Amino acid sequence: MSTAKVICAGFGGQGVMSMGQLLTYAGMLEGKEVSWLPSYGPEMRGGTANCAVTVSNKPVGSPLISGDATCAIVMNLPSLEKFESEVKPGGKILVNSSLIERKVEREDVEVHYIAANDIALELGNPKVANMIMLGAYLQTEPTVEVDSVLEAFKKVFGPSKEKFVPLNKEALQKGAQAIK
């Protein structure tokens, strides 16, 4: 595996930090080198939020991702506008097309439009849109195993949230199917 440098971005409350934490923790469970660097706007919910995640087989020198992201997972329009230019040529941009009508303007990246919020509503829980996007990402770039993400879910959110593992597994699968 080469080094994955992923930007997860959206509004506070969309689960972008959780998405990044799960990817990071799953990498840690697999014995990989990882970093997770969160960045919040002034509001926890409704303000902008993003995190930079690095997962690698080699030591991670810096948690900063600047113009060399291998992928950006964007949940809202301000995030697309801010991070579209941060993906290196040949990288990927995953767009939550439920909330973003604008198309990616670059032609030197691979783009996937996933109607994450719509799919989450079909599953009966709008809170799993982030897991749908994470499933789509893992389908395009198998940085970690889905089973590791589900194990990380138990560790990150604790025993009281384990009852949500089946729903989140289904959300990951629906995200992967949105790519196929």
Side-chain angles (χ1 to χ4, degrees), residues 106-165:
R106 294 179 56 188
E107 294 183 12
D108 62 344
V109 292
E110 182 181 319
V111 181
H112 297 277
Y113 297 96
I114 299 100
N117 288 64
D118 298 337
I119 297 168
L121 288 174
E122 289 171 16
L123 290 175
N125 190 330
K127 292 183 177 182
V128 296
N130 64 333
M131 295 299 277
I132 291 163
M133 293 299 283
L134 183 55
Y137 166 72
L138 292 175
Q139 181 65 33
T140 66
E141 197 67 40
T143 306
V144 296
E145 299 292 327
V146 170
D147 287 343
S148 298
V149 172
L150 296 171
E151 190 60 34
F153 185 93
K154 296 176 197 175
K155 303 279 186 195
V156 170
F157 295 108
S160 67
K161 303 292 185 195
E162 282 189 29
K163 62 187 175 193
F164 297 112
V165 168

Side-chain angles (χ1 to χ4, degrees), residues 6 19 34 64 76 89 104 109:
V6 184
M19 190 178 0
V34 298
L64 296 177
N76 62 8
V104 171
V109 292

Side-chain angles (χ1 to χ4, degrees), residues 11-100:
F11 289 131
Q14 285 186 302
V16 295
M17 296 300 176
S18 298
M19 190 178 0
Q21 283 180 311
L22 291 172
L23 186 56
T24 304
Y25 206 109
M28 209 166 48
L29 289 173
E30 293 180 7
K32 296 177 180 172
E33 302 290 330
V34 298
S35 72
W36 176 71
L37 182 64
S39 176
Y40 302 92
E43 306 88 10
M44 287 297 283
R45 287 196 165 270
T48 58
N50 68 80
C51 62
V53 174
T54 304
V55 180
S56 181
N57 290 332
K58 299 178 272 186
V60 177
S62 169
L64 296 177
I65 298 175
S66 181
D68 63 344
T70 57
C71 183
I73 303 171
V74 293
M75 298 293 287
N76 62 8
L77 182 58
S79 297
L80 176 61
E81 291 171 345
K82 182 173 182 177
F83 294 108
E84 181 175 356
S85 64
E86 294 298 316
V87 178
K88 69 181 184 178
K92 297 177 174 97
I93 301 176
L94 278 66
V95 178
N96 179 3
S97 61
S98 293
L99 300 180
I100 305 170

